[in-house]
Amino acid sequence: MTTQILEAQKGIVTDEMYQVARMEKVDVEYIRDKVAQGRVVILKNNKRTNSTPVAVGEGLKVKINANIGTSNEKSSIDEELDKTRVIEQAGADVLMDLSTGNYVDETRQAIIAATKLPIGTVPMYQAGKEALDEFKDIAKLSKNKLFSDIEKQCNDGVDFITVHCGVTKFVIEQLEKQKRLTGIVSRGGSMLACWIKKTGLENPLYQYYDELLDLVKKYDVTLSLGDGLRPGCTADAGDRAQVAETIVLGELVKRARKAGVQAMVEGPGHVSLDKIPSMIKTIKELTDYAPLYVLGPLACDCAPGYDHITSAIGGTLAAYHGADFLCYVTPAEHISLPNSAQVREGIITAKIAAHCADLARGNKEAIEKNFLVSKARVELDWKGQIDNCLDKSAFDGVDVAKEGKPCTMCGSYCSMKLFKQHFDK
């Protein structure tokens, strides 16, 4: 039994390391070294044969995740498969299936079969849903049921799983000692916190963490250590409960690395701009620079219908200061389950945020893409603009002028055309 991190620590370069090095346009030894340190993870279940590995972490391009999945209000495998196609076409790096509707297993298995993208899940969603459906009581969920669902999803081929191991009895005590406007907004975190409150027992994902590590190690599934106490509004950002959980996650990162398991950390949800830089840097330091996956962060709370924009604003700043992985937010956030068009809009918005951060961080590929679009604009080269822009479909249905001609906004009064006529001789 081996994993990417164990191979890297032995000085061995795996096929997956070669693949991601080519995609990232970096030296393969850089990838091996960072994987060995735990500062880069490679998302690839060793049972999956139809997937493309993706690397997340220090010094690499900022990655984008897209969430899909059924709910108990709306459940259709065909709709989720359509969203999967949209996710691939729009250019997300990874997707997560967060299904809690009918046929959870069948939905997950259909998505895995339909895409080469790495896939993540939150096993607690299935375990908690089924306990509530059967017993109407989250406290009836057993440790064996939860771990059985984790094993089942890993065996299906899931590449990474979000596990809220940091929602401990101590952390919940800290939450109860303070006033919080939005309580717990993480679905998995809320389920576990309520389970702890009602049973008086420790979180099984924390109590039996070594067993969890042994389980995922067989599949080389990456742990995404979830932020169950992430702030659900800007007023709660950086409070005692969030910091207490982050400290626990830092300890769990070190235990995972020692056990030969890849681990990344999930970060905040709603954070005002002034707090983002210091918060990202603090999380990175507390978790020994594990890859950081941020859920936004949303820079304000009062823009329903436009939270893909508030997320892009916060996500750009977070990525510039060290976040490695952005979870997209759609215009439907806080309103409804997103449709395929909203999924696409969320991905494109997140790609813009990631590109802005990559550009500011000095990523050579981002700099080149930016330059090529600028050059094409100067030359009135429409094909060059389309080939190098972040969303080629932006030109669909637009009355784009013929090659070498200005756009319809300025026409013969085009500033670039006039400048070239009088200065470029």
Side-chain angles (χ1 to χ4, degrees), residues 21-73:
R22 285 195 298 270
M23 288 188 286
E24 297 288 338
K25 299 181 180 177
V26 298
D27 188 84
V28 72
E29 184 56 28
Y30 177 87
I31 296 291
R32 188 207 62 76
D33 181 57
K34 293 300 180 182
V35 171
Q37 294 178 49
R39 295 190 177 190
V40 165
V41 296
I42 296 177
L43 306 178
K44 174 70 167 67
N45 185 318
N46 60 27
K47 283 202 68 175
R48 277 190 82 186
T49 57
N50 72 324
S51 66
T52 301
V54 168
V56 179
E58 189 172 281
L60 307 181
K61 288 178 290 187
V62 178
K63 301 305 185 301
I64 301 299
N65 169 67
N67 291 336
I68 58 172
T70 61
S71 74
N72 63 340
E73 296 289 330

Side-chain angles (χ1 to χ4, degrees), residues 270-291:
H270 294 242
V271 186
S272 60
L273 283 177
D274 59 309
K275 292 183 179 179
I276 289 174
S278 60
M279 186 175 291
I280 296 300
K281 291 175 182 177
T282 299
I283 293 171
K284 277 285 195 175
E285 290 175 3
L286 289 175
T287 60
D288 195 24
Y289 298 90

Side-chain angles (χ1 to χ4, degrees), residues 141-155:
L141 174 63
S142 69
K143 174 259 182 182
N144 288 341
K145 164 63 175 167
L146 176 55
F147 275 61
S148 174
D149 281 340
I150 293 171
E151 174 102 48
K152 174 170 59 177
Q153 295 189 15
C154 290
N155 192 56

